[in-house]
Amino acid sequence: MKKDMLDVKEQNSTYIYEKGLEISKEIAIRLSDPKFVFDSVHTRDNVMTETGHFPWGDISLSHGYPGNIHLLTQWRRIDKSMNWSQAIHSNMVEIQSYLSRFGTGDISLYSGWAGIASAVYAASNQGEFYNQFLNQIHRWMSPLVEQWLRTSTEILQQKNGVPVELYDTISGASGVGRYLLKNAADPVVAPLIEPLLRFLVELTEPIYINDKLVPGWFTPSKFQSSAGDKSSFPVGSFNCGMAHGIPGPLALLSIAYNNGIEVPGQYRAIENITEWLLDSQEEDELGSYWPHIIPFEELITKNKLLRQREAWCYGTPGVTCALYISSISLNNPAIAQTALKSFINAVSYECDRNRMDSPSLCHGLSGLLLMSKRMWHSTKDPAITILIDQLMTKLLQRFDSSTPLGYKDAEPGVANTIRWLTKAGLLEGVAGIAATLQGTGEADQNDWDYMLMLS
């Protein structure tokens, strides 16, 4: 397999896509066995540098069985050579077992109820399977979402800023809301959609911090998630990442609006976020780009923030995907063109410098590839076709069949070293990589990327 990968660069697109399908299926087969996956992740040295924990969560869409189920459902749809339904069921049993023993009060998309529900929804095949389980999940999560919204609204209405976890894609309202929108016809979860959208609209109302009027999604130092961030942002900051920043709410509000779901102030909120992001862009020789995080002090000093790694979680590609969706809401082709041009430049930058270590969706090659396929589907720009082939080639070359799950993710080590960890799940693990490989060659765009706020 490794020898095959060395020859990928000399092959045409058809070969690349076929090889991607081959690798995706091999990974899906390995993820079919929950015990094998669990044991592969829980080897002695496979621990995260910062926490010392294994990169695993049984019910985590990001790092566990729900993410694996999403890949298996994709293969059930296109391949009849294996009993994918049994593989899905084996993973589903592990989720049910965990919930029966421990439960969860987490509503989030990437580690809680919304993520579990997304996997069960995908596995249900439009109600053919697991319908009772999905209905039960909706009944469990709905009162938790209602309570969470009440608590979050109280924090928001203090007008002192908010933690990103209240509104972001990974942990907050944007990710939860995207799952709810996916199930807007369900009578249990549908009533939660408008209150959640109203919460995000209120998030965009300006507040005064140190006598300066700033957007309501400002995150003060006391709400920063790590000691390092508290030190880096002594007053506070504005997060521009799709994973943890304001692009998540922008994408959700715009997607809802584009699908005919609107609450008072929603259109203006889309305008406000879009205008703020456009005002926050920086310029270099490659064109426009967005900082990962903007310190409060930057609003006063206007010091230039340099271009950093370009990925889904943080950087220009994620921002521009949200801006492109908002351009549809605002019926503004100029914004769409700005987003497209900046997207192409940012992904080209990462392809040319060839320094992206991670193959993952979150901060690696798969995320760039998935966004490129979505942007191509939206624009049909031929420059993106070239980028897709480049990213596919790079991703295939990283495959190593001798490792337990086929890919490893890059983890920062001591003294600027890199450690390589085996990870399952969708966001940082092999399920997301394999799902991207599987879907890239398809003529039609599968909409599982809704979980990354791309559709």
Side-chain angles (χ1 to χ4, degrees), residues 390-447:
Q390 290 178 325
L391 291 165
M392 277 288 288
T393 299
K394 292 176 185 294
L395 196 54
L396 297 179
Q397 289 171 338
R398 300 289 182 87
F399 179 72
D400 183 353
S401 61
S402 68
T403 61
L405 301 182
Y407 284 95
K408 290 192 172 186
D409 191 34
E411 178 89 6
V414 297
N416 294 320
T417 60
I418 294 176
R419 300 175 60 241
W420 295 93
L421 301 185
T422 296
K423 297 181 181 181
L426 193 79
L427 195 61
E428 295 184 19
V430 297
I433 300 169
T436 303
L437 288 173
Q438 185 275 320
T440 300
E442 288 191 316
D444 296 329
Q445 182 75 11
N446 190 303
D447 71 348

Short mmCIF file of all heavy atoms in Angstrom, two decimals, residues 390-447:
data_model
loop_
_atom_site.label_atom_id
_atom_site.label_comp_id
_atom_site.label_asym_id
_atom_site.label_seq_id
_atom_site.Cartn_x
_atom_site.Cartn_y
_atom_site.Cartn_z
N GLN A 390 -4.93 18.08 -5.59
CA GLN A 390 -3.71 18.22 -4.78
C GLN A 390 -3.94 17.70 -3.36
O GLN A 390 -3.10 16.97 -2.81
CB GLN A 390 -3.27 19.68 -4.73
CG GLN A 390 -2.72 20.21 -6.04
CD GLN A 390 -2.34 21.68 -5.95
OE1 GLN A 390 -2.98 22.47 -5.27
NE2 GLN A 390 -1.28 22.07 -6.65
N LEU A 391 -5.07 18.09 -2.77
CA LEU A 391 -5.36 17.67 -1.40
C LEU A 391 -5.60 16.18 -1.31
O LEU A 391 -5.15 15.53 -0.35
CB LEU A 391 -6.56 18.45 -0.87
CG LEU A 391 -6.33 19.94 -0.63
CD1 LEU A 391 -7.65 20.68 -0.47
CD2 LEU A 391 -5.45 20.16 0.60
N MET A 392 -6.31 15.63 -2.28
CA MET A 392 -6.51 14.18 -2.31
C MET A 392 -5.18 13.45 -2.36
O MET A 392 -4.94 12.48 -1.63
CB MET A 392 -7.37 13.79 -3.51
CG MET A 392 -8.86 13.94 -3.31
SD MET A 392 -9.56 12.68 -2.19
CE MET A 392 -9.48 11.21 -3.22
N THR A 393 -4.28 13.91 -3.22
CA THR A 393 -2.98 13.27 -3.36
C THR A 393 -2.20 13.31 -2.05
O THR A 393 -1.64 12.30 -1.60
CB THR A 393 -2.17 13.96 -4.48
OG1 THR A 393 -2.86 13.84 -5.71
CG2 THR A 393 -0.79 13.34 -4.61
N LYS A 394 -2.18 14.48 -1.41
CA LYS A 394 -1.48 14.61 -0.14
C LYS A 394 -2.08 13.69 0.92
O LYS A 394 -1.35 13.07 1.71
CB LYS A 394 -1.52 16.06 0.34
CG LYS A 394 -0.72 17.04 -0.51
CD LYS A 394 -0.90 18.47 -0.01
CE LYS A 394 -0.20 19.48 -0.91
NZ LYS A 394 1.27 19.33 -0.88
N LEU A 395 -3.39 13.60 0.94
CA LEU A 395 -4.06 12.79 1.95
C LEU A 395 -3.80 11.30 1.72
O LEU A 395 -3.55 10.54 2.67
CB LEU A 395 -5.55 13.08 1.93
CG LEU A 395 -6.39 12.64 3.13
CD1 LEU A 395 -5.81 13.16 4.43
CD2 LEU A 395 -7.83 13.12 2.97
N LEU A 396 -3.83 10.86 0.47
CA LEU A 396 -3.56 9.47 0.16
C LEU A 396 -2.13 9.09 0.53
O LEU A 396 -1.86 7.99 1.00
CB LEU A 396 -3.81 9.19 -1.32
CG LEU A 396 -5.24 9.38 -1.83
CD1 LEU A 396 -5.32 9.09 -3.32
CD2 LEU A 396 -6.22 8.50 -1.07
N GLN A 397 -1.22 10.01 0.32
CA GLN A 397 0.18 9.74 0.63
C GLN A 397 0.44 9.59 2.12
O GLN A 397 1.45 9.00 2.52
CB GLN A 397 1.06 10.85 0.06
CG GLN A 397 1.15 10.83 -1.46
CD GLN A 397 1.83 12.05 -2.04
OE1 GLN A 397 1.89 13.10 -1.39
NE2 GLN A 397 2.34 11.93 -3.25
N ARG A 398 -0.47 10.08 2.94
CA ARG A 398 -0.31 9.96 4.41
C ARG A 398 -0.82 8.61 4.93
O ARG A 398 -0.57 8.28 6.08
CB ARG A 398 -1.08 11.08 5.12
CG ARG A 398 -0.66 12.48 4.76
CD ARG A 398 0.71 12.83 5.32
NE ARG A 398 1.08 14.19 4.99
CZ ARG A 398 0.75 15.26 5.70
NH1 ARG A 398 0.01 15.13 6.79
NH2 ARG A 398 1.14 16.46 5.32
N PHE A 399 -1.56 7.89 4.11
CA PHE A 399 -2.13 6.63 4.58
C PHE A 399 -1.03 5.62 4.85
O PHE A 399 -0.09 5.46 4.08
CB PHE A 399 -3.10 6.07 3.54
CG PHE A 399 -3.71 4.75 3.92
CD1 PHE A 399 -4.67 4.69 4.92
CD2 PHE A 399 -3.32 3.58 3.31
CE1 PHE A 399 -5.24 3.48 5.29
CE2 PHE A 399 -3.88 2.37 3.66
CZ PHE A 399 -4.84 2.32 4.66
N ASP A 400 -1.16 4.92 5.99
CA ASP A 400 -0.20 3.89 6.36
C ASP A 400 -0.98 2.69 6.88
O ASP A 400 -1.46 2.68 8.01
CB ASP A 400 0.75 4.43 7.43
CG ASP A 400 1.84 3.43 7.83
OD1 ASP A 400 1.78 2.27 7.36
OD2 ASP A 400 2.73 3.81 8.60
N SER A 401 -1.09 1.66 6.05
CA SER A 401 -1.91 0.50 6.43
C SER A 401 -1.34 -0.26 7.61
O SER A 401 -2.05 -1.06 8.23
CB SER A 401 -2.05 -0.44 5.23
OG SER A 401 -0.78 -0.93 4.82
N SER A 402 -0.07 -0.03 7.96
CA SER A 402 0.53 -0.74 9.09
C SER A 402 0.10 -0.18 10.44
O SER A 402 0.31 -0.81 11.47
CB SER A 402 2.06 -0.71 8.98
OG SER A 402 2.56 0.61 9.19
N THR A 403 -0.49 1.02 10.44
CA THR A 403 -0.99 1.59 11.70
C THR A 403 -2.38 1.03 11.98
O THR A 403 -3.07 0.58 11.06
CB THR A 403 -1.04 3.12 11.62
OG1 THR A 403 -1.94 3.51 10.58
CG2 THR A 403 0.35 3.69 11.33
N PRO A 404 -2.83 1.05 13.23
CA PRO A 404 -4.09 0.37 13.57
C PRO A 404 -5.29 0.82 12.77
O PRO A 404 -6.10 0.00 12.32
CB PRO A 404 -4.26 0.69 15.07
CG PRO A 404 -2.88 0.92 15.56
CD PRO A 404 -2.15 1.57 14.43
N LEU A 405 -5.43 2.15 12.57
CA LEU A 405 -6.61 2.67 11.89
C LEU A 405 -6.29 3.34 10.56
O LEU A 405 -7.18 3.91 9.93
CB LEU A 405 -7.36 3.65 12.82
CG LEU A 405 -7.83 3.07 14.16
CD1 LEU A 405 -8.58 4.13 14.96
CD2 LEU A 405 -8.69 1.83 13.96
N GLY A 406 -5.04 3.28 10.12
CA GLY A 406 -4.68 3.77 8.80
C GLY A 406 -4.09 5.17 8.76
O GLY A 406 -3.30 5.49 7.89
N TYR A 407 -4.49 6.01 9.69
CA TYR A 407 -3.96 7.36 9.81
C TYR A 407 -3.69 7.66 11.27
O TYR A 407 -4.34 7.11 12.17
CB TYR A 407 -4.94 8.41 9.28
CG TYR A 407 -5.05 8.50 7.78
CD1 TYR A 407 -6.05 7.81 7.10
CD2 TYR A 407 -4.16 9.29 7.04
CE1 TYR A 407 -6.16 7.91 5.71
CE2 TYR A 407 -4.27 9.39 5.66
CZ TYR A 407 -5.27 8.68 5.00
OH TYR A 407 -5.38 8.78 3.64
N LYS A 408 -2.74 8.57 11.50
CA LYS A 408 -2.53 9.11 12.83
C LYS A 408 -2.59 10.64 12.77
O LYS A 408 -2.28 11.23 11.73
CB LYS A 408 -1.18 8.66 13.41
CG LYS A 408 -1.15 7.18 13.75
CD LYS A 408 0.07 6.83 14.59
CE LYS A 408 0.00 5.40 15.09
NZ LYS A 408 1.11 5.06 16.01
N ASP A 409 -2.99 11.24 13.88
CA ASP A 409 -3.11 12.69 13.93
C ASP A 409 -1.90 13.28 14.62
O ASP A 409 -1.33 12.69 15.55
CB ASP A 409 -4.39 13.07 14.69
CG ASP A 409 -4.71 14.55 14.56
OD1 ASP A 409 -4.43 15.12 13.49
OD2 ASP A 409 -5.23 15.14 15.52
N ALA A 410 -1.51 14.47 14.15
CA ALA A 410 -0.35 15.15 14.72
C ALA A 410 -0.72 15.83 16.03
O ALA A 410 -1.72 16.55 16.11
CB ALA A 410 0.19 16.18 13.73
N GLU A 411 0.08 15.62 17.05
CA GLU A 411 -0.13 16.20 18.37
C GLU A 411 1.15 16.93 18.78
O GLU A 411 2.24 16.35 18.71
CB GLU A 411 -0.44 15.09 19.38
CG GLU A 411 -0.64 15.56 20.79
CD GLU A 411 -2.08 15.93 21.09
OE1 GLU A 411 -2.94 15.72 20.22
OE2 GLU A 411 -2.33 16.42 22.19
N PRO A 412 1.07 18.19 19.19
CA PRO A 412 2.28 18.90 19.62
C PRO A 412 2.94 18.19 20.79
O PRO A 412 2.27 17.81 21.77
CB PRO A 412 1.77 20.28 20.02
CG PRO A 412 0.45 20.42 19.33
CD PRO A 412 -0.13 19.04 19.26
N GLY A 413 4.25 18.02 20.71
CA GLY A 413 5.02 17.45 21.81
C GLY A 413 5.88 18.51 22.47
O GLY A 413 5.69 19.71 22.26
N VAL A 414 6.83 18.07 23.25
CA VAL A 414 7.71 19.02 23.93
C VAL A 414 8.75 19.53 22.95
O VAL A 414 9.12 18.87 21.98
CB VAL A 414 8.41 18.35 25.14
CG1 VAL A 414 7.38 17.94 26.18
CG2 VAL A 414 9.23 17.14 24.70
N ALA A 415 9.23 20.76 23.20
CA ALA A 415 10.31 21.38 22.42
C ALA A 415 10.02 21.35 20.92
O ALA A 415 10.87 20.99 20.11
CB ALA A 415 11.65 20.67 22.72
N ASN A 416 8.78 21.73 20.57
CA ASN A 416 8.38 21.86 19.16
C ASN A 416 8.45 20.54 18.38
O ASN A 416 8.60 20.53 17.16
CB ASN A 416 9.23 22.91 18.45
CG ASN A 416 8.99 24.30 19.00
OD1 ASN A 416 7.86 24.67 19.29
ND2 ASN A 416 10.07 25.06 19.16
N THR A 417 8.33 19.43 19.08
CA THR A 417 8.28 18.14 18.41
C THR A 417 6.82 17.77 18.11
O THR A 417 5.90 18.43 18.58
CB THR A 417 8.91 17.04 19.28
OG1 THR A 417 8.18 16.96 20.52
CG2 THR A 417 10.37 17.36 19.57
N ILE A 418 6.65 16.73 17.30
CA ILE A 418 5.32 16.25 16.96
C ILE A 418 5.19 14.79 17.38
O ILE A 418 6.08 13.97 17.13
CB ILE A 418 5.05 16.38 15.44
CG1 ILE A 418 5.02 17.84 15.04
CG2 ILE A 418 3.75 15.68 15.04
CD1 ILE A 418 4.85 18.06 13.55
N ARG A 419 4.09 14.48 18.05
CA ARG A 419 3.75 13.11 18.37
C ARG A 419 2.58 12.69 17.49
O ARG A 419 1.75 13.51 17.12
CB ARG A 419 3.36 12.98 19.85
CG ARG A 419 4.47 13.40 20.80
CD ARG A 419 4.01 13.38 22.25
NE ARG A 419 3.58 12.04 22.62
CZ ARG A 419 2.34 11.72 23.02
NH1 ARG A 419 1.40 12.67 23.08
NH2 ARG A 419 2.02 10.50 23.35
N TRP A 420 2.51 11.40 17.17
CA TRP A 420 1.47 10.90 16.28
C TRP A 420 0.56 9.95 17.05
O TRP A 420 1.01 8.94 17.58
CB TRP A 420 2.10 10.20 15.08
CG TRP A 420 2.87 11.16 14.24
CD1 TRP A 420 4.20 11.44 14.32
CD2 TRP A 420 2.34 12.00 13.21
NE1 TRP A 420 4.55 12.40 13.40
CE2 TRP A 420 3.43 12.75 12.70
CE3 TRP A 420 1.08 12.18 12.66
CZ2 TRP A 420 3.27 13.69 11.67
CZ3 TRP A 420 0.93 13.10 11.63
CH2 TRP A 420 2.01 13.83 11.15
N LEU A 421 -0.72 10.30 17.10
CA LEU A 421 -1.68 9.55 17.91
C LEU A 421 -2.75 8.90 17.04
O LEU A 421 -3.19 9.47 16.04
CB LEU A 421 -2.37 10.48 18.92
CG LEU A 421 -1.49 11.21 19.92
CD1 LEU A 421 -2.37 11.98 20.91
CD2 LEU A 421 -0.55 10.27 20.65
N THR A 422 -3.15 7.72 17.44
CA THR A 422 -4.27 7.02 16.81
C THR A 422 -5.57 7.59 17.36
O THR A 422 -5.79 7.58 18.58
CB THR A 422 -4.20 5.51 17.09
OG1 THR A 422 -3.02 4.98 16.47
CG2 THR A 422 -5.42 4.79 16.56
N LYS A 423 -6.44 8.07 16.48
CA LYS A 423 -7.70 8.67 16.90
C LYS A 423 -8.84 8.14 16.04
O LYS A 423 -8.73 8.08 14.82
CB LYS A 423 -7.65 10.20 16.78
CG LYS A 423 -6.62 10.88 17.67
CD LYS A 423 -6.67 12.39 17.50
CE LYS A 423 -5.63 13.10 18.36
NZ LYS A 423 -5.68 14.58 18.21
N ALA A 424 -9.93 7.79 16.70
CA ALA A 424 -11.16 7.45 16.01
C ALA A 424 -12.07 8.67 16.02
O ALA A 424 -11.71 9.73 16.50
CB ALA A 424 -11.83 6.25 16.67
N GLY A 425 -13.29 8.52 15.49
CA GLY A 425 -14.25 9.62 15.51
C GLY A 425 -14.16 10.52 14.30
O GLY A 425 -13.31 10.35 13.42
N LEU A 426 -15.03 11.52 14.28
CA LEU A 426 -15.23 12.33 13.09
C LEU A 426 -14.29 13.52 12.99
O LEU A 426 -13.72 13.78 11.93
CB LEU A 426 -16.68 12.84 13.04
CG LEU A 426 -17.12 13.44 11.71
CD1 LEU A 426 -17.45 12.33 10.72
CD2 LEU A 426 -18.33 14.35 11.90
N LEU A 427 -14.10 14.26 14.07
CA LEU A 427 -13.47 15.56 13.96
C LEU A 427 -11.95 15.49 13.84
O LEU A 427 -11.35 16.14 12.98
CB LEU A 427 -13.85 16.43 15.16
CG LEU A 427 -13.56 17.92 15.02
CD1 LEU A 427 -14.33 18.51 13.85
CD2 LEU A 427 -13.91 18.66 16.31
N GLU A 428 -11.31 14.71 14.69
CA GLU A 428 -9.86 14.58 14.65
C GLU A 428 -9.41 13.18 14.26
O GLU A 428 -8.22 12.93 14.12
CB GLU A 428 -9.26 14.96 16.00
CG GLU A 428 -9.46 16.41 16.38
CD GLU A 428 -8.77 16.78 17.68
OE1 GLU A 428 -7.85 16.06 18.10
OE2 GLU A 428 -9.15 17.80 18.27
N GLY A 429 -10.36 12.27 14.07
CA GLY A 429 -10.03 10.88 13.85
C GLY A 429 -10.25 10.40 12.43
O GLY A 429 -10.62 11.14 11.53
N VAL A 430 -10.04 9.09 12.26
CA VAL A 430 -10.03 8.50 10.93
C VAL A 430 -11.41 8.42 10.30
O VAL A 430 -11.53 8.34 9.07
CB VAL A 430 -9.39 7.09 10.96
CG1 VAL A 430 -7.94 7.17 11.39
CG2 VAL A 430 -10.16 6.15 11.86
N ALA A 431 -12.48 8.44 11.09
CA ALA A 431 -13.82 8.40 10.50
C ALA A 431 -14.06 9.62 9.61
O ALA A 431 -14.62 9.51 8.51
CB ALA A 431 -14.89 8.31 11.59
N GLY A 432 -13.64 10.78 10.08
CA GLY A 432 -13.80 11.99 9.28
C GLY A 432 -12.94 11.98 8.03
O GLY A 432 -13.37 12.43 6.96
N ILE A 433 -11.73 11.47 8.16
CA ILE A 433 -10.84 11.37 7.00
C ILE A 433 -11.45 10.44 5.95
O ILE A 433 -11.54 10.78 4.76
CB ILE A 433 -9.45 10.84 7.43
CG1 ILE A 433 -8.81 11.79 8.44
CG2 ILE A 433 -8.55 10.65 6.22
CD1 ILE A 433 -7.58 11.22 9.13
N ALA A 434 -11.89 9.26 6.40
CA ALA A 434 -12.43 8.26 5.47
C ALA A 434 -13.74 8.73 4.85
O ALA A 434 -14.02 8.46 3.68
CB ALA A 434 -12.63 6.94 6.20
N ALA A 435 -14.56 9.44 5.62
CA ALA A 435 -15.82 9.96 5.08
C ALA A 435 -15.54 10.99 3.98
O ALA A 435 -16.25 11.04 2.97
CB ALA A 435 -16.66 10.60 6.19
N THR A 436 -14.50 11.79 4.18
CA THR A 436 -14.13 12.78 3.17
C THR A 436 -13.59 12.10 1.92
O THR A 436 -13.95 12.48 0.79
CB THR A 436 -13.07 13.74 3.74
OG1 THR A 436 -13.60 14.37 4.92
CG2 THR A 436 -12.70 14.81 2.73
N LEU A 437 -12.74 11.10 2.09
CA LEU A 437 -12.22 10.36 0.94
C LEU A 437 -13.36 9.71 0.16
O LEU A 437 -13.37 9.69 -1.07
CB LEU A 437 -11.24 9.29 1.40
CG LEU A 437 -9.88 9.78 1.91
CD1 LEU A 437 -9.09 8.61 2.49
CD2 LEU A 437 -9.09 10.45 0.80
N GLN A 438 -14.32 9.15 0.89
CA GLN A 438 -15.43 8.47 0.23
C GLN A 438 -16.29 9.44 -0.57
O GLN A 438 -16.70 9.16 -1.70
CB GLN A 438 -16.29 7.74 1.27
CG GLN A 438 -17.41 6.89 0.71
CD GLN A 438 -18.66 7.71 0.43
OE1 GLN A 438 -19.03 8.58 1.21
NE2 GLN A 438 -19.31 7.44 -0.68
N GLY A 439 -16.54 10.61 0.00
CA GLY A 439 -17.47 11.53 -0.64
C GLY A 439 -16.87 12.40 -1.73
O GLY A 439 -17.61 12.93 -2.56
N THR A 440 -15.55 12.52 -1.76
CA THR A 440 -14.94 13.47 -2.70
C THR A 440 -15.17 13.07 -4.15
O THR A 440 -15.37 13.92 -5.01
CB THR A 440 -13.43 13.60 -2.42
OG1 THR A 440 -13.25 14.08 -1.08
CG2 THR A 440 -12.78 14.58 -3.38
N GLY A 441 -15.17 11.78 -4.44
CA GLY A 441 -15.32 11.33 -5.81
C GLY A 441 -16.76 11.26 -6.28
O GLY A 441 -17.00 11.01 -7.47
N GLU A 442 -17.72 11.47 -5.40
CA GLU A 442 -19.12 11.37 -5.80
C GLU A 442 -19.55 12.61 -6.58
O GLU A 442 -19.17 13.73 -6.25
CB GLU A 442 -20.01 11.22 -4.56
CG GLU A 442 -19.89 9.86 -3.89
CD GLU A 442 -20.98 9.64 -2.86
OE1 GLU A 442 -21.23 10.58 -2.07
OE2 GLU A 442 -21.56 8.55 -2.82
N ALA A 443 -20.38 12.39 -7.59
CA ALA A 443 -20.87 13.52 -8.39
C ALA A 443 -21.81 14.40 -7.58
O ALA A 443 -21.77 15.63 -7.66
CB ALA A 443 -21.58 13.00 -9.63
N ASP A 444 -22.66 13.78 -6.78
CA ASP A 444 -23.58 14.54 -5.93
C ASP A 444 -22.91 14.84 -4.60
O ASP A 444 -22.08 14.05 -4.11
CB ASP A 444 -24.87 13.75 -5.69
CG ASP A 444 -25.65 13.55 -6.98
OD1 ASP A 444 -25.57 14.42 -7.86
OD2 ASP A 444 -26.31 12.50 -7.11
N GLN A 445 -23.27 15.94 -3.99
CA GLN A 445 -22.70 16.34 -2.71
C GLN A 445 -23.54 15.77 -1.58
O GLN A 445 -24.70 16.10 -1.42
CB GLN A 445 -22.64 17.87 -2.58
CG GLN A 445 -22.01 18.36 -1.29
CD GLN A 445 -20.50 18.20 -1.28
OE1 GLN A 445 -19.88 17.92 -2.29
NE2 GLN A 445 -19.89 18.39 -0.13
N ASN A 446 -22.95 14.84 -0.83
CA ASN A 446 -23.62 14.32 0.35
C ASN A 446 -23.59 15.38 1.44
O ASN A 446 -22.56 16.00 1.68
CB ASN A 446 -22.90 13.04 0.82
CG ASN A 446 -23.68 12.30 1.89
OD1 ASN A 446 -23.98 12.88 2.93
ND2 ASN A 446 -24.00 11.06 1.63
N ASP A 447 -24.70 15.57 2.13
CA ASP A 447 -24.78 16.73 3.04
C ASP A 447 -24.38 16.41 4.47
O ASP A 447 -24.72 17.14 5.38
CB ASP A 447 -26.19 17.33 3.00
CG ASP A 447 -27.23 16.44 3.67
OD1 ASP A 447 -26.92 15.26 3.96
OD2 ASP A 447 -28.35 16.92 3.88
#
